[in-house]
Amino acid sequence: MKTSRLILNAINGRYLREITDNAAKDCQYVEAAVAYATQEQLFEWCWNHHIRLRFWGRFDEGVPVAPHILKRFLDRRSPNFVCKLLPHLHAKVIWWHGIGAYIGSANLTDRAWYSNVEAGFYFDESDMLAFGIDEQLRSFFEEVDTHASPLTEELYSTIRDRQRELDFLHERDRDNQKRFLQTPCVKQWAGLLHVSPRSATEKQKQAFLSEWFSTLQILRDIGTRVSDEEFRPDWIPSDVPPGAQADQFLHAHYYNRVIGLDRRSYYEEMFEENKGNPENALRNAMVWWRSLPSPPSNEDQMLFEWAPFLRRELARERILGLSERDFEAVCQRVWAIQDHARRMPNVTLNLPQDQKHTVAVKTKALSHYLFEKKAPNGSNVLEVLYHVLYGGTHGSLPDRIWDTTLAGQWRIEHLGMSAIGELVGWALPDDFPPRNNRTSKSLRSLGFPVDARD
């Protein structure tokens, strides 16, 4: 399913099963917060296609998530197949990362997927990125997870016993309900109170800034270590900025040690292995990097050709004067922009829809799209980047990055946080190591508890 659309079951002939039927190849992992679950179609689909799943279901006295489903989670004993429960959840949100997300009324029941009158909207991943829906959904899942309890044998037994009671009880059940809801297995939570949009946005901003600064120091520390003689390969001169060396060390690690032969990324599996001792995993990776007689995946091109080019083109005195052709050349050398262009539908890029285009062609089309776009405050893409890079002190630069997200006045559709983070790094490598989604996945594979966004 390549375009956003309404899912109305028989009313418009669009069903949720269409997404799972076509998503297995490109789906990276699934997050689902759905109140009620009595059928296993989504869960079995994830399991059978080896796709990681994080599921949050509702906890209340009516047993909204069927015990047989909970038992399947426990029996599989897999860190890639996680179930948590929480009170007050009434959402129906499923995010197939790399594909898109459904937000609507359908629970995980046979009737909801096939015969009920349900209404929901499926957002293609490119539209999610364009309108900031991805950032808002991440905040949503983070909030849900904060109040959720992991599924345990004890919690399962409590729910199973309650289901047995419900099989016999139809009336005079208030005392049992109260006792059930007060089980010590589940966090007591009063539910979401009213929060103004401004307060919610500020909370998201503080979470972003906290993650930014914590990851920044990790990258700086790695840059210091991999640029030292102990871990710097012989083919990298000592004058290459430490931040750039950190980025390309993580690049090589990711594409040669995290990506499998099946082209899937195993960063989450490696995180589970390495989270107990990130230092050991990092040192092993740096020893591997130091031993390489030559760059394994074109890191020399980035360090010796593209990085100096990007630093020159993004300099304070030059950036505002870039032509569209100059800007395209910048985009062709930024991984995050190339990766986003690859994922975008041809129709958005004004490319023929009946053809398969190369990443270079799609990146050129995206660079044209970005060059023509305006932010809500009327700024073009060059002015937005100048604002981020040079519109204040280095200390306030993360705040200016935030200005470009969600509904900010400096936001340009399809210029995401990953791209801006990488551009900042190549423009100012002495202060801010380049960072993008791939950087985060690479760090997470080494056991660092960073937010890795697919």
Side-chain angles (χ1 to χ4, degrees):
M1 183 175 288
K2 296 295 186 182
T3 57
S4 300
R5 65 189 67 190
L6 277 169
I7 306 290
L8 301 175
N9 286 357
I11 292 175
N12 70 346
R14 298 294 181 187
Y15 295 85
L16 271 172
R17 67 172 184 267
E18 293 178 7
I19 306 172
T20 53
D21 286 347
N22 296 285
K25 180 180 178 182
D26 297 317
C27 182
Q28 294 148 355
Y29 65 100
V30 171
E31 290 182 300
V34 181
Y36 297 84
T38 59
Q39 60 106 309
E40 301 185 25
Q41 180 169 326
L42 177 67
F43 308 132
E44 292 304 297
W45 178 84
C46 289
W47 183 260
N48 292 334
H49 289 93
H50 308 289
I51 293 171
R52 286 189 293 116
L53 169 69
R54 298 176 71 200
F55 169 68
W56 294 266
R58 181 180 175 92
F59 172 84
D60 69 24
E61 70 280 2
V63 188
V65 182
H68 74 271
I69 288 177
L70 302 177
K71 187 68 162 58
R72 292 284 278 175
F73 275 97
L74 289 175
D75 288 346
R76 280 168 169 161
R77 303 183 185 279
S78 171
N80 289 346
F81 209 64
V82 175
C83 173
K84 296 185 179 182
L85 302 176
L86 69 157
H88 307 295
L89 177 69
H90 203 258
K92 291 88 180 176
V93 180
I94 307 172
W95 188 354
W96 295 264
H97 284 261
I99 305 295
Y102 169 83
I103 303 173
S105 66
N107 286 297
L108 296 176
T109 67
D110 286 327
R111 288 185 177 182
W113 275 49
Y114 297 104
S115 60
N116 276 359
V117 175
E118 305 282 359
F121 202 86
Y122 169 79
F123 296 89
D124 182 82
E125 189 107 337
S126 62
D127 289 335
M128 293 173 64
L129 294 169
F131 298 107
I133 297 170
D134 59 325
E135 294 295 334
Q136 295 178 69
L137 279 188
R138 287 191 180 95
S139 297
F140 164 77
F141 282 115
E142 288 171 3
E143 183 72 21
V144 167
D145 194 59
T146 298
H147 304 289
S149 299
L151 178 62
T152 62
E153 294 284 355
E154 292 81 2
L155 180 53
Y156 166 73
S157 295
T158 300
I159 294 171
R160 180 199 59 201
D161 292 345
R162 175 60 181 168
Q163 184 64 62
R164 290 172 177 170
E165 292 174 350
L166 290 177
D167 289 339
F168 297 98
L169 296 175
H170 297 285
E171 297 179 0
R172 294 174 296 185
D173 197 33
R174 292 183 181 178
D175 290 342
N176 285 328
Q177 290 182 20
K178 184 176 180 180
R179 172 181 56 77
F180 177 76
L181 289 174
Q182 291 178 342
T183 174
C185 299
V186 174
K187 298 177 184 177
Q188 300 301 306
W189 178 45
L192 289 174
L193 303 176
H194 175 72
V195 179
S196 69
R198 182 174 181 178
S199 298
T201 300
E202 185 62 28
K203 182 177 180 180
Q204 293 172 22
K205 179 179 179 179
Q206 292 307 314
F208 161 73
L209 292 176
S210 176
E211 190 277 335
W212 169 273
F213 283 114
S214 62
T215 306
L216 175 63
Q217 193 55 50
I218 293 172
L219 291 171
R220 285 173 172 168
D221 292 345
I222 290 175
T224 299
R225 297 178 70 176
V226 297
S227 61
D228 185 79
E229 288 186 3
E230 182 181 4
F231 295 116
R232 190 181 74 249
D234 292 336
W235 47 270
I236 298 181
S238 60
D239 59 352
V240 174
Q245 293 193 51
D247 176 80
Q248 290 303 287
F249 155 68
L250 292 170
H251 176 277
H253 167 72
Y254 184 74
Y255 284 105
N256 294 274
R257 308 178 85 211
V258 180
I259 296 290
L261 295 177
D262 56 1
R263 305 310 301 161
R264 282 190 180 273
S265 175
Y266 288 88
Y267 69 90
E268 196 64 32
E269 290 84 350
M270 293 178 67
F271 171 74
E272 291 297 326
E273 294 177 8
N274 295 323
K275 65 183 180 181
N277 195 343
E279 169 60 26
N280 185 62
L282 175 61
R283 173 169 281 275
N284 288 339
M286 291 190 298
V287 169
W288 167 80
W289 174 244
R290 175 67 177 87
S291 70
L292 296 174
S294 61
S297 36
N298 300 316
E299 287 76 19
D300 53 339
Q301 182 183 54
M302 187 74 242
L303 289 172
F304 308 142
E305 299 176 27
W306 289 9
F309 173 86
L310 290 170
R311 191 172 190 177
R312 181 174 65 252
E313 296 296 282
L314 298 172
R316 180 194 295 267
E317 63 276 6
R318 177 161 172 76
I319 186 170
L320 291 175
L322 295 181
S323 66
E324 182 175 347
R325 185 174 181 180
D326 295 332
F327 181 68
E328 180 201 333
V330 169
C331 292
Q332 294 285 6
R333 291 164 172 80
V334 176
W335 178 89
I337 294 178
Q338 293 181 59
D339 186 60
H340 183 57
R342 176 179 63 83
R343 299 168 184 261
M344 289 180 66
N346 292 342
V347 63
T348 306
L349 296 174
N350 199 29
L351 292 171
Q353 297 186 53
D354 56 349
Q355 297 180 27
K356 186 177 177 67
H357 302 281
T358 65
V359 173
V361 169
K362 297 191 77 171
T363 302
K364 179 177 181 179
L366 176 55
S367 70
H368 174 75
Y369 176 99
L370 295 173
F371 203 80
E372 295 293 318
K373 277 287 183 180
K374 300 285 187 181
N377 63 8
S379 301
N380 63 35
V381 67
L382 300 180
E383 292 166 336
V384 168
L385 292 176
Y386 186 91
H387 166 72
V388 171
L389 294 168
Y390 309 114
T393 65
H394 278 188
S396 62
L397 187 144
D399 294 90
R400 298 195 297 277
I401 292 178
W402 180 257
D403 291 342
T404 69
T405 66
L406 300 176
Q409 289 298 300
W410 294 89
R411 176 175 175 78
I412 289 186
E413 293 176 12
H414 292 290
L415 184 65
M417 195 179 297
S418 181
I420 291 175
E422 187 173 351
L423 286 163
V424 165
W426 295 124
L428 306 168
D430 294 329
D431 300 292
F432 300 100
R435 59 196 299 177
N436 51 40
N437 293 346
R438 183 257 304 151
T439 310
S440 297
K441 293 177 186 177
S442 192
L443 286 174
R444 191 165 177 84
S445 75
L446 293 168
F448 292 97
V450 301
D451 179 23
R453 304 175 175 182
D454 286 299

